[in-house]
Amino acid sequence: AQSVTQLGSHVSVSEGALVLLRCNYSSSVPPYLFWYVQYPNQGLQLLLKYTTGATLVKGINGFEAEFKKSETSFHLTKPSAHMSDAAEYFCAVSEGYGNKLVFGAGTILRVKS
Amino acid sequence: DGGITQSPKYLFRKEGQNVTLSCEQNLNHDAMYWYRQDPGQGLRLIYYSQIVNDFQKGDIAEGYSVSREKKESFPLTVTSAQKNPTAFYLCATLPNGGSTDTQYFGPGTRLTVL
């Protein structure tokens, strides 16, 4: 079975600083990888996804992620944090029959002014 | 106005009572999913359905039941057999293309069992 590990349940950055949220996955087949964002008491919104092709994927709100097969990683970055980026972020991998998503435990991003 | 509707937003029930959470979509998506979210645990799959009148158990199906009588609707019943039902429940749909597509999420229902 596939699994997803997000290193750091809480990450704190200053406004304007680099955001780096880490995601590692285990998969025996080429993975389809996703990053979602969740604001308090709301559903999840897709930030970006990797399926095939270019390994550097650009998403909404200035976020991007790079698929590194050799490191089994799909880390999320943003060059300059904004206060509105404060939320919880989930990395997920699509798994087999039924196109189910397996999620990491999530990382809460705090942005300090 | 297309999308996924989950109602109610907040739900309170007494211990031992069954409760049904609603999920309705007008996106014409075939596949629908129910997830449970607990703090620090991410989302875990309860049940999913790829087509009307068919559904499969996810990772944590015990104490839950579902039905899929219409394409638009995928209600989830939390039964009294569920040991710890207090959680945030999210419904999702998937376009008909398959595994590279994005799952779309509803706004969620927060269930509190007193």
Side-chain angles (χ1 to χ4, degrees):
Chain A
Q2 294 168 324
S3 66
V4 176
T5 302
Q6 292 184 239
L7 187 62
S9 59
H10 292 78
V11 170
S12 183
V13 300
S14 298
E15 192 173 19
L18 172 72
V19 175
L20 171 61
L21 304 182
R22 299 179 186 274
C23 173
N24 289 88
Y25 67 91
S26 69
S27 174
S28 58
V29 298
Y32 301 133
L33 295 158
F34 303 80
W35 273 102
Y36 284 88
V37 62
Q38 183 183 38
Y39 298 97
N41 289 311
Q42 294 186 23
L44 275 64
Q45 179 185 7
L46 181 75
L47 280 175
L48 49 80
K49 66 179 180 182
Y50 169 79
T51 54
T52 58
T55 57
L56 181 62
V57 181
K58 295 187 184 298
I60 63 172
N61 301 338
F63 284 93
E64 61 182 38
E66 186 171 10
F67 169 60
K68 292 187 176 181
K69 185 178 178 180
S70 61
E71 299 177 7
T72 60
S73 69
F74 191 54
H75 302 330
L76 182 71
T77 61
K78 181 175 180 178
S80 177
H82 192 272
M83 297 297 288
S84 61
D85 295 326
E88 188 162 15
Y89 293 80
F90 292 95
C91 182
V93 61
S94 180
E95 180 180 68
Y97 178 79
N99 304 316
K100 298 165 286 184
L101 288 177
V102 176
F103 285 86
T107 298
I108 295 173
L109 176 66
R110 178 187 171 212
V111 181
K112 299 175 291 185
S113 59
Chain B
D1 190 20
I4 304 167
T5 303
Q6 290 188 246
S7 60
K9 181 72 173 175
Y10 298 95
L11 189 55
F12 297 88
R13 280 293 182 270
K14 292 183 179 179
E15 193 171 346
Q17 289 182 332
N18 291 357
V19 60
T20 297
L21 281 60
S22 168
C23 178
E24 303 281 332
Q25 56 109 350
N26 61 6
L27 301 169
N28 199 35
H29 291 171
D30 281 331
M32 298 185 73
Y33 304 79
W34 273 106
Y35 294 91
R36 170 183 172 136
Q37 184 179 11
D38 297 281
Q41 297 192 49
L43 280 72
R44 292 179 290 167
L45 182 64
I46 304 172
Y47 269 98
Y48 65 103
S49 168
Q50 293 190 284
I51 198 169
V52 174
N53 293 322
D54 186 48
F55 49 82
Q56 286 77 39
K57 293 181 179 180
D59 299 319
I60 57 165
E62 184 176 353
Y64 299 97
S65 65
V66 294
S67 63
R68 186 85 187 276
E69 298 177 359
K70 299 185 301 182
K71 188 174 186 177
E72 299 80 16
S73 179
F74 191 39
L76 173 74
T77 297
V78 185
T79 75
S80 56
Q82 169 51 233
K83 296 285 187 276
N84 185 18
T86 294
F88 191 47
Y89 291 87
L90 289 156
C91 176
T93 70
L94 183 70
N96 309 325
S99 58
T100 61
D101 283 325
T102 303
Q103 283 192 20
Y104 292 88
F105 285 81
T109 292
R110 185 166 296 281
L111 173 65
T112 301
V113 175
L114 306 171

Short mmCIF file of all heavy atoms in Angstrom, two decimals, chain A residues 29-76:
data_model
loop_
_atom_site.label_atom_id
_atom_site.label_comp_id
_atom_site.label_asym_id
_atom_site.label_seq_id
_atom_site.Cartn_x
_atom_site.Cartn_y
_atom_site.Cartn_z
N VAL A 29 4.64 1.99 -8.00
CA VAL A 29 4.36 2.36 -9.38
C VAL A 29 4.51 3.87 -9.51
O VAL A 29 4.50 4.58 -8.51
CB VAL A 29 2.94 1.93 -9.80
CG1 VAL A 29 2.79 0.42 -9.72
CG2 VAL A 29 1.89 2.61 -8.92
N PRO A 30 4.65 4.37 -10.74
CA PRO A 30 4.73 5.84 -10.90
C PRO A 30 3.53 6.50 -10.23
O PRO A 30 2.39 6.18 -10.53
CB PRO A 30 4.71 6.01 -12.42
CG PRO A 30 5.30 4.76 -12.94
CD PRO A 30 4.85 3.68 -12.01
N PRO A 31 3.80 7.44 -9.35
CA PRO A 31 2.70 8.02 -8.57
C PRO A 31 2.06 9.22 -9.25
O PRO A 31 2.68 9.89 -10.05
CB PRO A 31 3.42 8.46 -7.30
CG PRO A 31 4.76 8.91 -7.79
CD PRO A 31 5.10 7.97 -8.94
N TYR A 32 0.82 9.46 -8.88
CA TYR A 32 0.18 10.73 -9.17
C TYR A 32 0.09 11.45 -7.83
O TYR A 32 -0.47 10.92 -6.87
CB TYR A 32 -1.22 10.53 -9.77
CG TYR A 32 -1.19 9.73 -11.05
CD1 TYR A 32 -2.08 8.68 -11.27
CD2 TYR A 32 -0.28 10.03 -12.06
CE1 TYR A 32 -2.06 7.94 -12.44
CE2 TYR A 32 -0.25 9.30 -13.24
CZ TYR A 32 -1.14 8.26 -13.42
OH TYR A 32 -1.11 7.54 -14.58
N LEU A 33 0.66 12.65 -7.77
CA LEU A 33 0.83 13.35 -6.50
C LEU A 33 0.07 14.67 -6.49
O LEU A 33 0.00 15.36 -7.52
CB LEU A 33 2.32 13.61 -6.25
CG LEU A 33 3.16 12.35 -6.07
CD1 LEU A 33 4.62 12.63 -6.37
CD2 LEU A 33 3.00 11.81 -4.67
N PHE A 34 -0.46 15.01 -5.34
CA PHE A 34 -1.29 16.19 -5.20
C PHE A 34 -0.92 16.96 -3.93
O PHE A 34 -0.53 16.36 -2.93
CB PHE A 34 -2.77 15.78 -5.08
CG PHE A 34 -3.29 14.95 -6.22
CD1 PHE A 34 -3.02 13.59 -6.29
CD2 PHE A 34 -4.05 15.53 -7.23
CE1 PHE A 34 -3.50 12.81 -7.34
CE2 PHE A 34 -4.52 14.76 -8.28
CZ PHE A 34 -4.25 13.41 -8.33
N TRP A 35 -1.06 18.28 -3.99
CA TRP A 35 -1.03 19.13 -2.81
C TRP A 35 -2.37 19.86 -2.72
O TRP A 35 -2.82 20.48 -3.69
CB TRP A 35 0.09 20.15 -2.86
CG TRP A 35 1.40 19.67 -2.35
CD1 TRP A 35 2.49 19.28 -3.09
CD2 TRP A 35 1.81 19.58 -0.99
NE1 TRP A 35 3.52 18.92 -2.27
CE2 TRP A 35 3.13 19.10 -0.98
CE3 TRP A 35 1.19 19.84 0.24
CZ2 TRP A 35 3.85 18.88 0.21
CZ3 TRP A 35 1.89 19.63 1.41
CH2 TRP A 35 3.21 19.16 1.39
N TYR A 36 -2.99 19.77 -1.52
CA TYR A 36 -4.23 20.48 -1.24
C TYR A 36 -4.01 21.45 -0.08
O TYR A 36 -3.17 21.21 0.79
CB TYR A 36 -5.34 19.50 -0.83
CG TYR A 36 -5.96 18.71 -1.94
CD1 TYR A 36 -5.41 17.49 -2.35
CD2 TYR A 36 -7.11 19.15 -2.57
CE1 TYR A 36 -6.00 16.74 -3.35
CE2 TYR A 36 -7.72 18.41 -3.57
CZ TYR A 36 -7.16 17.21 -3.96
OH TYR A 36 -7.76 16.47 -4.95
N VAL A 37 -4.82 22.51 -0.05
CA VAL A 37 -4.81 23.45 1.08
C VAL A 37 -6.19 23.47 1.72
O VAL A 37 -7.21 23.32 1.02
CB VAL A 37 -4.40 24.86 0.62
CG1 VAL A 37 -5.37 25.44 -0.41
CG2 VAL A 37 -4.29 25.81 1.81
N GLN A 38 -6.20 23.62 3.03
CA GLN A 38 -7.47 23.68 3.77
C GLN A 38 -7.44 24.85 4.75
O GLN A 38 -6.55 24.92 5.59
CB GLN A 38 -7.72 22.38 4.52
CG GLN A 38 -9.06 22.35 5.25
CD GLN A 38 -9.27 21.07 6.05
OE1 GLN A 38 -8.34 20.55 6.66
NE2 GLN A 38 -10.49 20.55 6.05
N TYR A 39 -8.43 25.72 4.64
CA TYR A 39 -8.61 26.79 5.60
C TYR A 39 -9.58 26.28 6.68
O TYR A 39 -10.36 25.37 6.43
CB TYR A 39 -9.11 28.05 4.92
CG TYR A 39 -8.11 28.58 3.91
CD1 TYR A 39 -8.24 28.27 2.56
CD2 TYR A 39 -7.01 29.32 4.32
CE1 TYR A 39 -7.30 28.71 1.64
CE2 TYR A 39 -6.07 29.77 3.41
CZ TYR A 39 -6.23 29.45 2.07
OH TYR A 39 -5.29 29.87 1.16
N PRO A 40 -9.55 26.86 7.88
CA PRO A 40 -10.33 26.32 9.00
C PRO A 40 -11.79 26.08 8.67
O PRO A 40 -12.46 26.95 8.09
CB PRO A 40 -10.15 27.39 10.08
CG PRO A 40 -8.81 27.98 9.78
CD PRO A 40 -8.71 28.00 8.28
N ASN A 41 -12.25 24.89 9.00
CA ASN A 41 -13.65 24.49 8.84
C ASN A 41 -14.14 24.58 7.39
O ASN A 41 -15.32 24.85 7.15
CB ASN A 41 -14.56 25.32 9.75
CG ASN A 41 -14.37 24.93 11.20
OD1 ASN A 41 -14.37 23.75 11.54
ND2 ASN A 41 -14.16 25.92 12.05
N GLN A 42 -13.23 24.34 6.47
CA GLN A 42 -13.61 24.33 5.06
C GLN A 42 -13.13 23.03 4.40
O GLN A 42 -12.39 22.26 4.99
CB GLN A 42 -13.00 25.53 4.32
CG GLN A 42 -13.55 26.87 4.78
CD GLN A 42 -13.03 28.01 3.93
OE1 GLN A 42 -12.62 27.82 2.78
NE2 GLN A 42 -13.04 29.21 4.49
N GLY A 43 -13.57 22.84 3.17
CA GLY A 43 -13.10 21.69 2.41
C GLY A 43 -11.70 21.92 1.91
O GLY A 43 -11.05 22.91 2.24
N LEU A 44 -11.21 20.97 1.09
CA LEU A 44 -9.86 21.05 0.54
C LEU A 44 -9.90 21.65 -0.86
O LEU A 44 -10.81 21.37 -1.65
CB LEU A 44 -9.23 19.66 0.47
CG LEU A 44 -8.53 19.14 1.73
CD1 LEU A 44 -9.52 18.95 2.86
CD2 LEU A 44 -7.79 17.84 1.42
N GLN A 45 -8.88 22.44 -1.16
CA GLN A 45 -8.75 23.05 -2.48
C GLN A 45 -7.42 22.60 -3.08
O GLN A 45 -6.38 22.63 -2.42
CB GLN A 45 -8.77 24.57 -2.35
CG GLN A 45 -8.62 25.31 -3.67
CD GLN A 45 -8.53 26.82 -3.49
OE1 GLN A 45 -8.47 27.33 -2.38
NE2 GLN A 45 -8.56 27.54 -4.59
N LEU A 46 -7.46 22.19 -4.34
CA LEU A 46 -6.24 21.74 -4.99
C LEU A 46 -5.29 22.91 -5.24
O LEU A 46 -5.68 23.94 -5.79
CB LEU A 46 -6.57 21.08 -6.33
CG LEU A 46 -5.35 20.55 -7.08
CD1 LEU A 46 -4.85 19.26 -6.41
CD2 LEU A 46 -5.68 20.28 -8.55
N LEU A 47 -4.01 22.73 -4.83
CA LEU A 47 -2.97 23.69 -5.15
C LEU A 47 -2.28 23.34 -6.47
O LEU A 47 -2.07 24.19 -7.32
CB LEU A 47 -1.91 23.71 -4.06
CG LEU A 47 -2.19 24.49 -2.79
CD1 LEU A 47 -1.06 24.27 -1.79
CD2 LEU A 47 -2.38 25.97 -3.07
N LEU A 48 -1.91 22.07 -6.60
CA LEU A 48 -1.22 21.61 -7.79
C LEU A 48 -1.19 20.09 -7.79
O LEU A 48 -1.48 19.46 -6.77
CB LEU A 48 0.21 22.18 -7.87
CG LEU A 48 1.08 22.05 -6.61
CD1 LEU A 48 1.70 20.67 -6.46
CD2 LEU A 48 2.18 23.11 -6.63
N LYS A 49 -0.81 19.53 -8.95
CA LYS A 49 -0.69 18.08 -9.04
C LYS A 49 0.39 17.70 -10.05
O LYS A 49 0.66 18.45 -11.00
CB LYS A 49 -2.01 17.43 -9.42
CG LYS A 49 -2.50 17.78 -10.82
CD LYS A 49 -3.83 17.06 -11.11
CE LYS A 49 -4.33 17.40 -12.51
NZ LYS A 49 -5.65 16.74 -12.79
N TYR A 50 0.98 16.53 -9.83
CA TYR A 50 1.91 15.95 -10.78
C TYR A 50 1.33 14.64 -11.27
O TYR A 50 0.97 13.77 -10.48
CB TYR A 50 3.28 15.69 -10.12
CG TYR A 50 4.16 14.85 -11.00
CD1 TYR A 50 4.84 15.42 -12.07
CD2 TYR A 50 4.27 13.48 -10.81
CE1 TYR A 50 5.60 14.65 -12.92
CE2 TYR A 50 5.04 12.69 -11.64
CZ TYR A 50 5.70 13.28 -12.70
OH TYR A 50 6.45 12.51 -13.54
N THR A 51 1.27 14.52 -12.60
CA THR A 51 0.83 13.24 -13.17
C THR A 51 1.95 12.69 -14.03
O THR A 51 2.57 11.67 -13.71
CB THR A 51 -0.46 13.41 -13.98
OG1 THR A 51 -0.29 14.43 -14.97
CG2 THR A 51 -1.61 13.81 -13.05
N THR A 52 2.26 13.33 -15.14
CA THR A 52 3.39 12.93 -15.97
C THR A 52 4.03 14.19 -16.54
O THR A 52 3.50 15.28 -16.39
CB THR A 52 2.95 12.03 -17.14
OG1 THR A 52 1.98 12.75 -17.92
CG2 THR A 52 2.34 10.74 -16.66
N GLY A 53 5.18 14.03 -17.21
CA GLY A 53 5.78 15.18 -17.87
C GLY A 53 6.72 15.96 -16.97
O GLY A 53 7.45 15.39 -16.17
N ALA A 54 6.69 17.26 -17.09
CA ALA A 54 7.60 18.14 -16.38
C ALA A 54 7.54 17.90 -14.87
O ALA A 54 6.45 17.84 -14.30
CB ALA A 54 7.28 19.60 -16.68
N THR A 55 8.71 17.77 -14.27
CA THR A 55 8.75 17.42 -12.85
C THR A 55 8.56 18.63 -11.93
O THR A 55 8.28 18.46 -10.76
CB THR A 55 10.08 16.74 -12.51
OG1 THR A 55 11.16 17.61 -12.89
CG2 THR A 55 10.21 15.42 -13.24
N LEU A 56 8.73 19.84 -12.47
CA LEU A 56 8.46 21.05 -11.69
C LEU A 56 7.05 21.51 -12.05
O LEU A 56 6.77 21.87 -13.19
CB LEU A 56 9.48 22.13 -11.99
CG LEU A 56 9.33 23.44 -11.21
CD1 LEU A 56 9.48 23.18 -9.71
CD2 LEU A 56 10.32 24.49 -11.69
N VAL A 57 6.20 21.50 -11.06
CA VAL A 57 4.79 21.80 -11.28
C VAL A 57 4.43 23.11 -10.61
O VAL A 57 4.75 23.32 -9.44
CB VAL A 57 3.90 20.68 -10.71
CG1 VAL A 57 2.44 20.98 -10.96
CG2 VAL A 57 4.28 19.33 -11.30
N LYS A 58 3.80 23.98 -11.35
CA LYS A 58 3.37 25.26 -10.79
C LYS A 58 1.88 25.21 -10.48
O LYS A 58 1.09 24.64 -11.25
CB LYS A 58 3.68 26.40 -11.76
CG LYS A 58 5.17 26.60 -11.98
CD LYS A 58 5.46 27.82 -12.81
CE LYS A 58 6.95 27.94 -13.11
NZ LYS A 58 7.74 28.09 -11.87
N GLY A 59 1.52 25.82 -9.35
CA GLY A 59 0.12 25.80 -8.95
C GLY A 59 -0.43 27.19 -8.72
O GLY A 59 0.12 28.17 -9.17
N ILE A 60 -1.51 27.23 -7.96
CA ILE A 60 -2.14 28.52 -7.69
C ILE A 60 -1.44 29.24 -6.55
O ILE A 60 -0.68 28.62 -5.79
CB ILE A 60 -3.64 28.33 -7.35
CG1 ILE A 60 -3.80 27.50 -6.08
CG2 ILE A 60 -4.37 27.69 -8.52
CD1 ILE A 60 -5.23 27.44 -5.58
N ASN A 61 -1.69 30.53 -6.44
CA ASN A 61 -1.18 31.35 -5.33
C ASN A 61 0.34 31.36 -5.22
O ASN A 61 0.88 31.59 -4.14
CB ASN A 61 -1.78 30.89 -3.99
CG ASN A 61 -3.29 30.97 -3.99
OD1 ASN A 61 -3.89 31.71 -4.77
ND2 ASN A 61 -3.92 30.18 -3.14
N GLY A 62 1.05 31.12 -6.31
CA GLY A 62 2.50 31.20 -6.32
C GLY A 62 3.23 29.96 -5.82
O GLY A 62 4.45 29.97 -5.69
N PHE A 63 2.50 28.90 -5.52
CA PHE A 63 3.13 27.67 -5.05
C PHE A 63 3.64 26.83 -6.21
O PHE A 63 3.09 26.86 -7.31
CB PHE A 63 2.13 26.85 -4.23
CG PHE A 63 1.91 27.38 -2.85
CD1 PHE A 63 0.86 28.26 -2.60
CD2 PHE A 63 2.73 27.01 -1.80
CE1 PHE A 63 0.65 28.76 -1.33
CE2 PHE A 63 2.52 27.50 -0.53
CZ PHE A 63 1.48 28.38 -0.29
N GLU A 64 4.69 26.05 -5.94
CA GLU A 64 5.17 25.08 -6.90
C GLU A 64 5.74 23.88 -6.14
O GLU A 64 6.02 23.96 -4.94
CB GLU A 64 6.22 25.67 -7.84
CG GLU A 64 7.46 26.20 -7.19
CD GLU A 64 8.41 26.82 -8.21
OE1 GLU A 64 7.92 27.48 -9.16
OE2 GLU A 64 9.62 26.66 -8.06
N ALA A 65 5.88 22.78 -6.85
CA ALA A 65 6.43 21.56 -6.24
C ALA A 65 7.24 20.83 -7.28
O ALA A 65 6.94 20.88 -8.48
CB ALA A 65 5.32 20.67 -5.71
N GLU A 66 8.27 20.11 -6.82
CA GLU A 66 9.12 19.36 -7.72
C GLU A 66 9.07 17.89 -7.38
O GLU A 66 9.32 17.48 -6.24
CB GLU A 66 10.55 19.86 -7.67
CG GLU A 66 11.44 19.20 -8.72
CD GLU A 66 12.81 19.83 -8.82
OE1 GLU A 66 13.16 20.64 -7.94
OE2 GLU A 66 13.54 19.49 -9.78
N PHE A 67 8.75 17.09 -8.38
CA PHE A 67 8.74 15.64 -8.22
C PHE A 67 10.17 15.13 -8.42
O PHE A 67 10.78 15.34 -9.47
CB PHE A 67 7.80 15.01 -9.25
CG PHE A 67 7.90 13.51 -9.36
CD1 PHE A 67 7.64 12.70 -8.28
CD2 PHE A 67 8.26 12.92 -10.57
CE1 PHE A 67 7.73 11.33 -8.38
CE2 PHE A 67 8.35 11.54 -10.68
CZ PHE A 67 8.09 10.75 -9.59
N LYS A 68 10.69 14.46 -7.38
CA LYS A 68 12.03 13.87 -7.46
C LYS A 68 11.90 12.38 -7.20
O LYS A 68 11.78 11.94 -6.05
CB LYS A 68 12.97 14.52 -6.45
CG LYS A 68 13.30 15.97 -6.77
CD LYS A 68 14.36 16.51 -5.84
CE LYS A 68 14.76 17.93 -6.22
NZ LYS A 68 15.82 18.48 -5.36
N LYS A 69 11.96 11.63 -8.29
CA LYS A 69 11.75 10.19 -8.18
C LYS A 69 12.84 9.53 -7.33
O LYS A 69 12.54 8.65 -6.51
CB LYS A 69 11.73 9.57 -9.59
CG LYS A 69 11.41 8.09 -9.61
CD LYS A 69 11.36 7.59 -11.04
CE LYS A 69 11.08 6.10 -11.10
NZ LYS A 69 11.02 5.59 -12.48
N SER A 70 14.08 9.95 -7.50
CA SER A 70 15.20 9.32 -6.78
C SER A 70 15.08 9.53 -5.28
O SER A 70 15.57 8.72 -4.49
CB SER A 70 16.52 9.89 -7.28
OG SER A 70 16.57 11.29 -7.04
N GLU A 71 14.43 10.61 -4.88
CA GLU A 71 14.27 10.90 -3.46
C GLU A 71 12.85 10.57 -2.97
O GLU A 71 12.56 10.78 -1.80
CB GLU A 71 14.56 12.38 -3.19
CG GLU A 71 15.98 12.79 -3.55
CD GLU A 71 16.22 14.27 -3.35
OE1 GLU A 71 15.33 14.96 -2.80
OE2 GLU A 71 17.32 14.74 -3.74
N THR A 72 12.01 10.10 -3.82
CA THR A 72 10.58 9.86 -3.55
C THR A 72 9.97 11.04 -2.80
O THR A 72 9.33 10.89 -1.76
CB THR A 72 10.33 8.54 -2.79
OG1 THR A 72 11.01 8.58 -1.53
CG2 THR A 72 10.80 7.35 -3.59
N SER A 73 10.21 12.24 -3.34
CA SER A 73 9.75 13.44 -2.67
C SER A 73 8.92 14.32 -3.60
O SER A 73 9.03 14.24 -4.83
CB SER A 73 10.93 14.24 -2.13
OG SER A 73 11.68 14.80 -3.20
N PHE A 74 8.12 15.14 -2.99
CA PHE A 74 7.27 16.09 -3.74
C PHE A 74 7.06 17.30 -2.83
O PHE A 74 5.96 17.59 -2.40
CB PHE A 74 5.94 15.43 -4.12
CG PHE A 74 5.10 16.20 -5.10
CD1 PHE A 74 5.61 16.63 -6.31
CD2 PHE A 74 3.77 16.49 -4.82
CE1 PHE A 74 4.84 17.32 -7.22
CE2 PHE A 74 2.97 17.19 -5.73
CZ PHE A 74 3.51 17.60 -6.91
N HIS A 75 8.14 18.02 -2.54
CA HIS A 75 8.09 19.14 -1.60
C HIS A 75 7.42 20.36 -2.22
O HIS A 75 7.62 20.66 -3.40
CB HIS A 75 9.50 19.51 -1.15
CG HIS A 75 10.24 18.39 -0.49
ND1 HIS A 75 9.62 17.38 0.23
CD2 HIS A 75 11.56 18.12 -0.45
CE1 HIS A 75 10.51 16.54 0.69
NE2 HIS A 75 11.71 16.95 0.29
N LEU A 76 6.68 21.07 -1.41
CA LEU A 76 5.95 22.27 -1.82
C LEU A 76 6.73 23.52 -1.41
O LEU A 76 7.18 23.60 -0.26
CB LEU A 76 4.56 22.29 -1.17
CG LEU A 76 3.62 23.43 -1.53
CD1 LEU A 76 3.13 23.28 -2.97
CD2 LEU A 76 2.44 23.48 -0.57
#
